[in-house]
Amino acid sequence: RILMVKIERTNGENAKIAIASLEKEKQKKNGNYNASEIFDAINEIFHGKCYLCEQRGFYQVEHLIPHKGNKDLEFEWNNLFLACPHCNNIKRDKYTPILDCCKVDVDQKIAFRKHGYWGTEEYLEFTALSDDAETKMTVKLLEEIHHGSTPQKQAEAKILYVKIVKSMRTFKNYVLEYEAAKGQTKLDTLELIKLELKSTSEFTAFKRWLIRDAKEKYPELQQYCQ
C-alpha cells in the first residue's frame, strides 16, 4: 500500500460508530469528517500507516477521490483513507484516478524496488505492471512522493527514504539469518519474516518485491507475499 498493499475494510464496532457519525456530520452545515471516532476507526483499519507511503507517524483523514465540495464524496466512508501530511499535500486533487488499495493488490500491479547500495547510486523505482489509467497515475504519484518536486518535498522524501532503507536493512538481515539458520532458529526467523510481509508492517510492498525478485533462491517464501 501505493507503497500500498491491500487493506481490508472491516465492519467492526468502531467502523459502525464511524459510519453513524459520518451520517450525522453530513447533515450539519459545517460537518467534520475527521471527528475523533472517525479518525480512530480509519487509523485502526489502516494499521496506523499512511496508505500511500506505508510509514507510521502523524496522519490525516484523506479522500481517495477528491470531493471538491460534493458532500456525498466528502462523507462517504469508503472514500476516507489514512495519509501522512507529506503524501496528502502532494496528492490533493492532482492525482486521480489512482488505485484503491482496499479493492486491489497494488503491489501486484506495481513493482516496488530499491536499487543500489551504500557507495553506489541508490534509488527507488516503481514499475507499472498493467496499462490501465489508475496504475499509471499511481506510479506518477509514487514518484513524486518519493522523489519530491520542490526543495521542501525533496527534503521530506529524503527522510522517508532513510526510513525505508533502515526498515529494509532489518528485513534483509532476517532473510540472511533465515538462510543460514537451522532447526527451531530457522522457524523462529521465518515467523519474523512473515510478520514483515504482512500488510500491518511498514513498507511491505518493497519487502514483498525483494522476495519476489529472489523467487529462485527463496521459492518457499513466495506464499507470504500474497
Side-chain angles (χ1 to χ4, degrees), residues 164-176:
I164 293 171
V165 169
K166 288 182 178 179
S167 183
M168 290 293 288
R169 185 180 298 128
T170 298
F171 179 66
K172 287 179 181 178
N173 285 337
Y174 288 157
V175 176
L176 291 174

Side-chain angles (χ1 to χ4, degrees), residues 7-220:
I7 299 293
E8 298 295 336
R9 278 191 179 265
T10 59
N11 292 316
E13 191 59 35
N14 286 341
K16 292 176 182 177
I17 292 172
I19 292 170
S21 177
L22 281 169
E23 286 300 317
K24 291 179 181 178
E25 293 295 324
K26 183 179 177 181
Q27 305 307 316
K28 298 178 182 178
K29 183 178 181 180
N30 296 305
N32 180 17
Y33 60 79
N34 199 20
S36 60
E37 63 273 14
I38 299 169
F39 176 86
D40 289 345
I42 292 291
N43 186 62
E44 179 182 48
I45 286 173
F46 286 89
H47 311 300
K49 299 194 306 180
C50 173
Y51 83 105
L52 296 171
C53 71
E54 288 198 281
Q55 70 173 321
R56 292 192 174 94
F58 175 74
Y59 300 114
Q60 305 164 338
V61 174
E62 199 269 323
H63 295 85
L64 180 72
I65 303 172
H67 63 82
K68 297 181 179 180
N70 182 319
K71 274 207 163 189
D72 290 333
L73 284 175
E74 185 178 4
F75 293 92
E76 167 56 46
W77 169 246
N78 292 317
N79 196 35
L80 300 183
F81 287 65
L82 194 70
C84 70
H86 172 69
C87 292
N88 196 10
N89 289 338
I90 288 175
K91 177 182 172 287
R92 297 189 178 181
D93 59 358
K94 177 181 175 182
Y95 290 97
T96 187
I98 62 171
L99 295 169
D100 183 342
C101 63
C102 292
K103 295 180 178 179
V104 300
D105 293 292
V106 178
D107 64 303
Q108 292 187 12
K109 303 200 75 171
I110 299 173
F112 296 78
R113 295 186 174 103
K114 176 194 171 296
H115 295 285
Y117 53 90
W118 186 83
T120 69
E121 182 183 4
E122 296 183 89
Y123 62 97
L124 304 179
E125 181 182 59
F126 309 94
T127 306
L129 303 178
S130 61
D131 200 41
D132 59 277
E134 289 85 356
T135 299
K136 290 181 177 179
M137 186 64 75
T138 301
V139 168
K140 289 182 179 179
L141 172 56
L142 285 170
E143 288 173 344
E144 184 169 353
I145 285 172
H146 290 280
H147 300 145
S149 58
T150 67
Q152 178 181 337
K153 292 303 176 187
Q154 288 168 359
E156 292 173 0
K158 181 63 176 179
I159 294 171
L160 174 58
Y161 176 79
V162 170
K163 290 181 180 180
I164 293 171
V165 169
K166 288 182 178 179
S167 183
M168 290 293 288
R169 185 180 298 128
T170 298
F171 179 66
K172 287 179 181 178
N173 285 337
Y174 288 157
V175 176
L176 291 174
E177 290 172 14
Y178 167 80
E179 184 179 359
K182 295 180 180 180
Q184 188 60 47
T185 301
K186 194 177 189 73
L187 293 175
D188 291 343
T189 308
L190 176 59
E191 290 304 310
L192 292 174
I193 291 172
K194 287 162 64 176
L195 285 174
E196 292 289 322
L197 293 173
K198 287 185 176 182
S199 60
T200 52
S201 173
E202 282 190 302
F203 315 121
T204 310
F206 279 112
K207 296 169 186 174
R208 287 180 179 176
W209 272 96
L210 184 71
I211 296 300
R212 286 174 180 148
D213 285 337
K215 60 180 177 292
E216 292 184 2
K217 191 171 186 178
Y218 305 112
E220 75 280 14

